[in-house]
Amino acid sequence: MSEDMTEGAVIGPNAILQLLPQIERIGGEARVAQMLAEAGVLEVPDGSHMIPERDAARLHQVVRRHAPDMAAQLTAEAGRGTADYILAHRIPTVAQRILKALPASLAARSLARAIAKNAWTFAGSGDFRVISPWCFEIAHNPIVQGERSDLPLCHWHAAVFERLYRVLVHPSARCVETTCCAVGRDAPCRFEVTII
């Protein structure tokens, strides 16, 4: 794990909580316990407060290491679960109705503002920036900080954004990570949403 990660930085508990059912699906409770132990996560979050971002980063790293062929699918499914949690518990029903009724360009602008306002819950110590209503960046993304890969690794983040945009902006929205700090040391993780 990189020493660049800010000591004491926190992230939302769904970074772990939504990943656990995916691990259990492929390996049962024993695999969950093994991966949590290897990641140094001594206690499963109860969901009531933020958690150390290092715990979430280490668990995502363990999943990528032990299930390389399935990691993208597992973390993306966890991202969709995180978005569903946000939709069920964090975005009021009235606000959701308003966003769905707006033209996609206006809904995207409003959703991007809301995402930016709450970025600390999913970006931790990373530097989140809205490039446009359809494009976001996370520099120094703690979930992949210090890792190296030939391909982008932030499937969890991309799936969160895609699900929120599909439900609230347009059902054909798609989010792709176009650059990743794990691929290029100085590059931020960039997420681009398009309507296909």
Side-chain angles (χ1 to χ4, degrees), residues 2-10 52-54 124-126 140 142 145:
S2 170
E3 295 303 318
D4 295 345
M5 210 173 287
T6 304
E7 186 69 36
V10 294
E53 71 178 24
R54 288 175 187 242
S125 63
H140 316 292
Q145 189 81 13

Side-chain angles (χ1 to χ4, degrees), residues 19-193:
L19 191 51
L20 298 181
Q22 305 313 315
I23 298 169
E24 185 172 1
R25 186 169 55 81
I26 64 161
E29 290 181 17
R31 188 82 182 265
V32 171
Q34 179 260 324
M35 286 193 177
L36 285 169
E38 186 172 331
V41 179
L42 304 177
E43 187 176 320
V44 175
D46 65 7
S48 66
H49 52 81
M50 302 293 280
I51 61 170
E53 71 178 24
R54 288 175 187 242
D55 289 354
R58 284 192 306 257
L59 183 60
H60 280 249
Q61 199 172 53
V62 166
V63 168
R64 286 190 286 272
R65 188 167 52 247
H66 285 282
D69 295 339
M70 298 186 70
Q73 176 189 346
L74 298 174
T75 55
E77 196 58 44
R80 285 186 281 278
T82 299
D84 287 341
Y85 176 87
I86 292 166
L87 290 163
H89 301 283
R90 297 290 180 246
I91 303 175
T93 304
V94 172
Q96 291 188 40
R97 281 194 201 119
I98 291 169
L99 286 171
K100 291 175 185 179
L102 291 172
S105 60
L106 294 177
R109 195 172 305 144
S110 296
L111 182 56
R113 278 194 302 268
I115 289 170
K117 185 177 177 183
N118 294 285
W120 57 278
T121 64
F122 61 83
S125 63
D127 299 318
F128 181 81
R129 188 165 70 115
V130 174
I131 304 302
S132 79
W134 304 95
C135 183
F136 312 108
E137 286 184 352
I138 304 174
H140 316 292
N141 185 348
I143 296 296
V144 296
Q145 189 81 13
E147 291 193 67
R148 293 292 164 256
S149 173
D150 293 333
L151 298 170
L153 297 178
C154 305
H155 306 287
W156 179 68
H157 283 102
V160 172
F161 298 140
E162 182 173 285
R163 178 79 172 136
L164 291 175
Y165 269 72
R166 280 190 174 182
V167 171
L168 300 173
V169 177
H170 194 283
S172 297
R174 182 164 187 251
C175 182
V176 173
E177 185 181 18
T178 57
T179 64
C180 181
C181 64
V183 175
R185 190 175 207 45
D186 297 325
C189 298
R190 178 177 275 217
F191 304 91
E192 296 185 15
V193 181

